[in-house]
Amino acid sequence: MASFDYDLFVIGGGSGGVRSGRLAAAMGKRVAIAEEFRYGGTCVIRGCVPKKLYVYASQFAEHFEDAEGYGWTVGESTFDWKKLVAAKDKEITRLEGLYQKGLANAGAEILHTRAELTGPNTIKLLDSGRTVTAERIVIAVGGHPSSHDALPGHELCISSNEAFDLPELPKSIVIAGGGYIAVEFANIFHGLGVETTLIYRGKEILSRFDQDMRRGLHAAMEQKGIRILCEDLIQSVTRNAEGRLVAETMKNGALTADQVMLALGRVPNTKGLGLEAAGVAVNERGAILIDAFSRTSAPGVYALGDVTDRVQLTPVAIHEAMCFIETEYKGNPTSPDHDLIATAVFSQPEIGTVGLSEDEAAKKFEDLEVYRAEFRPMKATLSGRSEKTIMKLVVNAADRKVLGAHILGHEAGEMAQLLGITLKAGCTKDDFDRTMAVHPTASEELVTMYNPSYRIKNGERIG
Ligand SMILES: Cc1cc2nc3c(=O)[nH]c(=O)nc-3n(C[C@H](O)[C@H](O)[C@H](O)COP(=O)(O)OP(=O)(O)OC[C@H]3O[C@@H](n4cnc5c(N)ncnc54)[C@H](O)[C@@H]3O)c2cc1C
């Protein structure tokens, strides 16, 4: 049997890489992990974590306004962007340290270098030029924002990476994209007082979400003052004499702003990774092709997380890593389960969702019951804020199974996590009905919608 330097070599110190490296090392495997930028990866350094911190920051202006209705007088408030960026940096540095500590405690060798494959079992470490061998290799290199090179002036634009660390808070921003990253940043910047325009070539933002969620959010964002331009796109970006950016659009003329952010999809980090040398096949987008057990086309080489282009979320990358460990090191072949993934959009209001949208369910099931409630959340009564919460359950009439649960409103992400358990457990609408309400909450609506709002038969809405 060939002897290798390591049992496992992990390329990429993000969500999926760190989890697989840590668990394998804790089992006594000889593990090395290489990270070219910062441990924690996209999620910790320039994704979920800093984003959520910025979402919190962006909500205070509304909190201050709302306080008045509850008897408070809030003095003049000011916002310091640099202070927020510094506080965020401190927190992500702390988390980065924890990630490394977890790996070190488990006994993994932590490398700060770019790593590239040179063959099926060999990896080159770019800082030293050293080549090492490993029995198994996990590729968990994630992705990066598409720079959209075809757009004239793209080099003047920022992506989500730069948005976290801008030297100054812009007075105005144009954000291109209609996915959750574009929508979340539009809400963040608007909440921090930035004049914000969202431009998206599609008909509706968040096209993969339930129609009530995307339309409800669209209306709420416009009501707050975010300008949303759908079915339009930026054709070029230039800098004018005052140093501001001018985005020429197809339909809405020139948009002048301090920053233009492109959130037009992400690209797998596979360029120059040596995949050909190792015999690892990719698809036309550069994402690594894998089987149901995250095995690539090269024996002993595995890929997980965003680089495989399955579902690009942190818990999914972590789950795929855990399945890899079960399969390869615990003799328990486990294929990642991508069904019924609960997820959130940290917009304002939030979207929390799990399961099928109404449209998706209507394509798959003959007879649906849709339970829908739209109401003003209690907090908005005294604050006087005009806002709506929408809750919706999509139910298969044949067996009463809840196929989809969708919420637009405060803490919708938190609710989606719990709804995820119920849908995963296969709960029926009758299970919801016999669950006692928690009063007074917004989520009690989920167990008190006794009569369907309408039905859908063979794709046609009835009633
Ligand atoms: C703005 C933003 C917000 C997001 N918000 C959420 C959210 O709210 N919830 C959620 O679940 N997900 C969110 N995500 C997605 C989430 O961050 C990713 O799905 C997750 O980080 C994927 O983990 P990963 O291990 O596949 O890759 P990553 O976390 O991207 O880690 C890959 C690592 O590999 C390193 N690397 C790349 N090439 C090499 C190489 N050759 N050698 C060494 N190191 C290398 C990179 O530097 C990186 O650190 C967000 C993403 C973005 C961009």
Side-chain angles (χ1 to χ4, degrees), residues 12 15-16 35-36 41-42 48 51 114-115 180 266 305-306 313-315:
S15 308
E35 167 56 52
E36 66 175 348
T42 303
C48 336
K51 175 200 69 191
R114 179 172 170 81
Y180 80 95
R266 292 178 62 80
D306 282 8
L313 292 170
T314 285

Side-chain angles (χ1 to χ4, degrees), residues 26 43 62 96 106 153 159 180 201 214 225 236-237 326 345 349 352 391 402 415 442:
C43 175
E62 286 196 358
E96 183 185 9
S159 70
Y180 80 95
R201 67 176 177 181
R214 52 178 198 254
S236 69
V237 179
E326 284 294 320
V345 179
M391 294 194 175
V402 180
M415 291 186 241

Side-chain angles (χ1 to χ4, degrees), residues 62 65-67 69-70 223 375-389 410 442:
E62 286 196 358
E65 283 171 18
D66 291 353
Y70 285 88
Q223 202 184 17
F375 56 94
R376 193 178 193 193
M378 193 171 180
K379 192 177 168 200
T381 54
L382 294 199
S383 70
R385 184 166 298 283
S386 135
E387 62 179 25
K388 292 272 171 58
T389 292
H410 293 288

Side-chain angles (χ1 to χ4, degrees), residues 11-17 34-38 40-43 46-48 51 113-116 140-143 160 164 180-181 184-185 266 269 273 304-307 311-315 317 344 346:
I11 308 181
S15 308
E35 167 56 52
E36 66 175 348
F37 181 53
R38 292 179 69 179
T42 303
C43 175
R46 41 199 184 186
C48 336
K51 175 200 69 191
T113 176
R114 179 172 170 81
E116 290 173 4
V141 293
S160 58
F164 288 117
Y180 80 95
I181 294 176
E184 289 175 339
F185 271 98
R266 292 178 62 80
N269 285 331
L273 197 56
L304 46 90
D306 282 8
V307 75
V311 182
Q312 299 189 350
L313 292 170
T314 285
F346 295 101

Side-chain angles (χ1 to χ4, degrees), residues 90-317:
K90 201 170 157 202
E91 176 57 9
I92 64 170
T93 301
R94 185 184 74 84
L95 293 172
E96 183 185 9
L98 287 181
Y99 267 67
Q100 294 190 68
K101 205 168 153 194
L103 283 165
N105 288 346
E109 186 178 335
I110 302 171
L111 304 168
H112 296 271
T113 176
R114 179 172 170 81
E116 290 173 4
L117 298 165
T118 49
N121 297 93
T122 53
I123 308 110
K124 187 172 176 186
L125 309 178
L126 265 69
D127 66 340
S128 59
R130 193 160 62 97
T131 295
V132 296
T133 60
E135 185 184 16
R136 288 181 175 84
I137 296 171
V138 161
I139 306 174
V141 293
H144 62 272
S146 162
S147 55
H148 212 58
D149 292 353
L151 174 72
H154 68 91
E155 66 287 352
L156 300 171
C157 305
I158 58 166
S159 70
S160 58
N161 283 356
E162 293 77 35
F164 288 117
D165 295 302
L166 290 172
E168 306 286 340
L169 183 68
K171 287 203 170 54
S172 55
I173 191 164
V174 174
I175 300 176
Y180 80 95
I181 294 176
V183 166
E184 289 175 339
F185 271 98
N187 281 276
I188 289 170
F189 280 117
H190 171 77
L192 295 177
V194 180
E195 189 191 315
T196 304
T197 304
L198 183 64
I199 178 164
Y200 177 50
R201 67 176 177 181
K203 238 178 150 166
E204 289 181 87
I205 57 168
L206 298 174
S207 55
R208 282 186 228 157
F209 288 76
D210 184 87
Q211 63 193 33
D212 277 304
M213 301 297 110
R214 52 178 198 254
R215 286 176 195 160
L217 180 62
H218 185 129
M221 286 170 64
E222 282 190 329
Q223 202 184 17
K224 283 178 198 286
I226 299 171
R227 189 174 175 210
I228 304 179
L229 308 172
C230 285
E231 298 187 273
D232 196 5
L233 47 86
I234 299 177
Q235 291 180 309
S236 69
V237 179
T238 49
R239 198 178 285 285
N240 70 13
E242 290 95 62
R244 302 186 76 209
L245 297 178
V246 181
E248 282 297 339
T249 68
M250 200 171 66
K251 287 188 183 165
N252 283 280
L255 306 173
T256 304
D258 298 326
Q259 294 286 357
V260 176
M261 173 175 160
L262 305 180
L264 299 165
R266 292 178 62 80
V267 181
N269 285 331
T270 46
K271 209 170 157 194
L273 197 56
L275 296 181
E276 265 180 41
V280 175
V282 295
N283 70 12
E284 65 293 344
R285 293 191 58 245
I288 296 178
L289 295 170
I290 31 75
D291 69 6
F293 295 94
S294 301
R295 291 184 287 231
T296 71
S297 51
V301 182
Y302 306 79
L304 46 90
D306 282 8
V307 75
T308 61
D309 216 2
R310 285 176 272 191
V311 182
Q312 299 189 350
L313 292 170
T314 285
V316 175

Side-chain angles (χ1 to χ4, degrees), residues 425-448:
C427 285
T428 63
K429 181 64 174 55
D430 304 313
D431 295 319
F432 277 64
D433 289 348
R434 64 194 175 84
T435 301
M436 196 70 78
V438 178
H439 183 73
T441 62
S443 51
E444 66 183 301
E445 207 67 37
L446 290 167
V447 295
T448 53

